[in-house]
Amino acid sequence: MEIIGGGIGGLSAAIALARDGHKVTLRERDAALPSTGTALGMWPVALRALDEIGVGDQVRRTGSRQQAGAVLRPDGSRIATIDVARLRKRTGDDVHLISRPALLAILHRAAADAGADLRFGEPVSSLDDTADLLVVADGVFSRTRDRLLGPAYRARYSGNTAWRGTIDGMPTSEFAEIWGRGAKFGVTPHEGGRTNWFAAAAAPEGRFDPGQEVAALHRLFGDWAAPVRPVLDAIEESRILRHDIYVTPPLPSFVHGNAVLIGDAAHAMNPDLGRGACEAIIDAVTLAACLRQATPSQPGPLSYDRSRRPATQRLSRVAAIAARMTRMRHALPLRNVLLKASMLAGPPS
């Protein structure tokens, strides 16, 4: 079996498939795992998938448990409280926050230990039609998806741009997301006593400010109350990650010939639900389970498509609604009522 892409989805697939006894070769064009990156939320459904491939407890130990959370207005007043206890009661677990580099390092070690052949610094120039299965996990701008499905299914700009980063020496145990007019700012725990922050705003595509991103953030969020202002004052220009947000249109199938798409290659979504990395892990574990349970009348890839495509496309639609709410500049009281209602209803499963 061949896997294209050594990110979260590709490495999770390598673990799951190799543990099932498949001979797995993974190719990743980058020479090494990234050494920097911000925190990802591992929701209980993703933690259960990580448990299935033997790394769930390690992720829990390495990351930080989300202990409390709130959605606020820019003046610091509260829109809604995130009921962490209710989530734990409903799902049996907490959300754990872990940095992308730490998660990738755990997955990489587990994939190597499972016997997968991990080839970093080895781009894929052509597709292997002879492989019994080709797992496409090369991300939102997947070149493989382009080859399989054509330009109609390339990722499209969502209308939102994003900034991310971490701050040393500013520990927090709480999650806070602050919603303003056409923009929002978030603060979450990060392992090692650091704080993870992120921001999003409606903006024209590609309108970056190299060397001036701190100034751009201050223009957007400079008059917002704590916890935003203390974080803004501590941000260093060199540690800001800035990127526009792209999403994939709904694919007609996650399976094409001997190829199966997982993760952002299949369903890159707006990050507003914090579920992109989770869904890539679930894709990988589900694919392995479907292959184990395959029958002549129900091939594994077909079962995977029937299981994961409706679920992830439903989440993508909900994330798109949340992103549109971020861009709202009018009717903010109504938006805030909807936000509070969504907090009370709980996260989509």
Side-chain angles (χ1 to χ4, degrees), residues 16-338:
L17 295 171
R19 282 165 61 100
D20 279 354
H22 298 288
K23 183 178 180 181
V24 175
T25 300
L26 178 149
R27 290 180 170 85
E28 163 60 47
R29 63 179 174 179
D30 289 341
L33 295 173
S35 59
T36 60
T38 54
L40 303 167
M42 292 290 103
W43 289 81
V45 64
L47 288 166
R48 289 195 293 273
L50 291 167
D51 287 336
E52 289 191 40
I53 56 175
V55 297
D57 286 341
Q58 190 175 357
V59 168
R60 292 180 181 89
R61 289 193 302 269
T62 303
S64 305
R65 181 170 62 87
Q66 184 175 306
Q67 299 181 39
V71 180
L72 309 173
R73 299 178 182 87
D75 64 4
S77 61
R78 189 174 295 255
I79 297 172
T81 297
I82 298 172
D83 193 337
V84 176
R86 183 181 179 186
L87 174 66
R88 186 184 308 118
K89 183 177 180 180
R90 184 161 69 89
T91 65
D93 210 335
D94 296 292
V95 176
H96 285 71
L97 296 142
I98 184 170
S99 70
R100 185 178 297 274
L103 177 60
L104 286 169
I106 290 170
L107 295 174
H108 187 275
R109 285 194 297 271
D113 290 346
D117 180 7
L118 307 178
R119 302 183 184 182
F120 278 65
E122 189 171 309
V124 175
S125 57
S126 61
L127 302 184
D128 185 357
D129 293 331
T130 66
D132 52 355
L133 189 71
L134 184 66
V135 180
V136 179
D138 53 350
V140 60
F141 300 114
S142 171
R143 297 178 181 179
T144 314
R145 184 184 62 233
D146 278 1
R147 294 173 186 169
L148 294 172
L149 299 177
Y153 295 101
R154 285 178 183 163
R156 302 165 184 174
Y157 181 50
S158 69
N160 279 1
T161 193
W163 298 261
R164 305 170 191 266
T166 58
I167 298 172
D168 297 332
M170 187 183 283
T172 182
S173 61
E174 297 189 2
F175 169 95
E177 200 164 85
I178 303 88
W179 285 64
R181 190 180 300 276
K184 69 178 177 181
F185 199 101
V187 177
T188 71
H190 191 288
E191 68 255 20
R194 296 184 292 274
T195 283
N196 179 78
W197 65 269
F198 59 90
E205 185 178 8
R207 191 72 60 84
F208 299 160
D209 298 294
Q212 298 294 322
E213 296 294 355
V214 169
L217 288 167
H218 274 274
R219 285 195 298 272
L220 284 167
F221 306 104
D223 61 348
W224 289 22
V228 177
R229 187 54 192 262
V231 170
L232 277 183
D233 290 341
I235 291 173
E236 300 174 23
E237 187 76 39
S238 62
R239 299 182 66 181
I240 295 175
L241 303 174
R242 169 79 187 273
H243 61 274
D244 287 342
I245 297 170
Y246 290 82
V247 298
T248 51
L251 303 189
S253 176
F254 288 177
V255 179
H256 192 282
N258 70 332
V260 176
L261 285 79
I262 70 171
D264 281 351
H267 48 69
M269 62 186 73
N270 287 279
D272 298 78
L273 301 181
R275 291 284 289 265
C278 296
E279 299 309 309
I281 295 165
I282 298 166
D283 285 350
V285 173
T286 301
L287 174 61
C290 289
L291 293 175
R292 281 197 305 273
Q293 298 160 10
T295 65
S297 61
Q298 190 76 0
L302 179 61
S303 296
Y304 163 77
D305 181 65
R306 288 177 174 172
S307 171
R308 294 301 296 153
R309 185 159 51 90
T312 54
Q313 290 181 350
R314 182 174 63 250
L315 277 174
S316 294
R317 290 193 294 271
V318 176
I321 293 169
R324 286 196 293 272
M325 291 171 67
T326 295
R327 295 193 294 272
M328 287 180 65
R329 304 187 63 85
H330 305 288
L332 299 191
L334 173 60
R335 183 200 66 183
N336 292 345
V337 168
L338 295 173

